[in-house]
Amino acid sequence: MTRAARRHWLLKTEPGEFSIDDLERDGRTLWTGIRNYRARNILRDEVKAGDLVLIHHSSAARVGAAGVGRVAGAPRPDPTAGDPASPYHDPRPSPAGPRWWAVEVEFLEKFPEVVTLGRMRAEPSLAGLPVLARGNRLSVQPVDEEHFRRILRLGRSSVAGAAAPR
DNA sequence: GCCAACGTTGGC
DNA sequence: GCCAACGTTGGC
């Protein structure tokens, strides 16, 4: 383990817009449309190529971690910000350089079942995970490596999981 | 659809 | 720079 250890993140998406299935189908995608400064700062300044990300479905029937991806390149200016045809178009001038940033994400795996927020909350070892905090709206969030591993384990074992509600 | 929590805007 | 009003997010 080096000091420059790979970091782990959670990326929110509304599956009605873009889901883990879409990412699996496409193989990779440019993760655009982040329009919050705190999320932007994390994306632009901290996310590195090779970092692993949980793909998190929000505003969905099953809210939670749906799979895993990997950051496939350095963050770059979000092209949708300058595209009048995009719902994420931001017409404001940005004289000091790009305001919004995006990053390429490649598909790694889809969990057999979404690891729901309820499932995560039932897991004492996931205490402190930012996405579980009340009122947390950040669309790019850090995830501890240990938390990441535990969610991965939950996701991979969810079919065989004993406590899956029907 | 409700509504709590958060973020942004804008008058002062 | 304060802060109230407004808009958005997002779980439920």
Side-chain angles (χ1 to χ4, degrees):
Chain A
M1 199 77 110
T2 69
R3 284 169 60 192
R6 181 166 56 201
R7 300 187 67 183
H8 301 74
W9 310 100
L10 178 153
L11 298 179
K12 281 188 193 172
T13 183
E14 298 193 11
E17 302 253 339
F18 189 86
S19 71
I20 189 71
D21 294 312
D22 296 320
L23 183 60
E24 179 168 29
R25 179 199 64 215
D26 297 346
R28 58 168 55 201
T29 193
L30 185 62
W31 205 271
T32 58
I34 292 168
R35 295 294 180 269
N36 166 283
Y37 288 105
R38 282 174 62 206
R40 186 281 310 269
N41 290 346
I42 295 173
L43 189 79
R44 184 191 60 189
D45 303 335
E46 300 188 53
V47 173
K48 307 290 185 219
D51 286 355
L52 298 179
V53 298
L54 290 172
I55 305 301
H56 177 96
H57 284 177
S58 65
S59 296
R62 311 209 85 210
V63 171
V68 182
R70 180 165 50 205
V71 176
R76 56 184 170 99
D78 183 343
T80 65
D83 176 4
S86 168
Y88 302 114
H89 181 224
D90 184 348
R92 296 174 294 174
S94 58
R99 175 178 287 119
W100 304 120
W101 291 70
V103 77
E104 190 81 15
V105 174
E106 65 180 311
F107 174 82
L108 285 187
E109 69 180 274
K110 176 187 172 181
F111 294 147
E113 287 179 34
V114 170
V115 182
T116 63
L117 290 179
R119 182 75 184 86
M120 294 185 208
R121 288 203 172 96
E123 205 62 39
S125 62
L126 292 179
L129 183 69
V131 76
L132 301 182
R134 195 148 165 272
N136 193 323
R137 290 163 42 173
L138 259 194
S139 56
V140 181
Q141 307 188 7
V143 180
D144 286 353
E145 183 174 8
E146 192 53 36
H147 287 164
F148 190 95
R149 281 213 212 99
R150 290 178 192 278
I151 294 168
L152 205 58
R153 199 174 316 134
L154 290 174
R156 287 171 173 169
S157 67
S158 52
V159 158
R166 277 165 214 283

